[in-house]
Amino acid sequence: MDAKLVHPNTEDIAFKSKVAQINKSKSQKGKVIGCRDYGYILQLENGLQGLLHNKQNKFNIKLNHNDVVYVKVHSIDFKRKNIKFAF
């Protein structure tokens, strides 16, 4: 049987590296880069992007494009490279 060398994808490495920089117990500063019916797309200072879903917006705060907010990381899906935020 032939052995295959598995090389990690550079995108995966970059994503994991940026996620490792996040202190998940502290609020993160993010900027609204997109508004959708289901929530807001945020970009953190280190370039990571994720979703603040309306379900995680407990206070029903209305945000606008380019608003700066402080959020906590709710969950991270490394396989799909998804980050979900919450207030």
Side-chain angles (χ1 to χ4, degrees):
M1 181 171 4
D2 292 328
K4 275 189 176 179
L5 289 177
V6 178
H7 295 286
N9 184 332
T10 53
E11 280 184 22
D12 292 341
I13 293 170
F15 180 78
K16 288 178 182 176
S17 172
K18 287 181 179 183
V19 168
Q21 297 170 4
I22 297 173
N23 183 340
K24 293 164 195 70
S25 64
K26 291 188 177 182
S27 292
Q28 305 294 316
K29 184 178 179 181
K31 180 176 164 183
V32 177
I33 60 169
C35 302
R36 306 289 184 265
D37 291 338
Y38 50 85
Y40 302 95
I41 310 299
L42 305 179
Q43 182 170 348
L44 299 182
E45 290 180 313
N46 69 357
L48 284 175
Q49 296 178 5
L51 174 67
L52 172 62
H53 196 282
N54 289 335
K55 289 188 279 186
Q56 302 304 327
N57 186 353
K58 299 179 206 177
F59 309 110
N60 201 26
I61 297 170
K62 301 295 180 199
L63 300 173
N64 295 304
H65 193 75
N66 290 327
D67 281 355
V68 175
V69 294
Y70 287 87
V71 291
K72 289 198 173 189
V73 174
H74 179 262
S75 65
I76 301 171
D77 182 342
F78 286 96
K79 191 173 187 176
R80 295 174 59 195
K81 296 185 196 92
N82 283 344
I83 300 176
K84 293 183 181 172
F85 301 111
F87 279 118

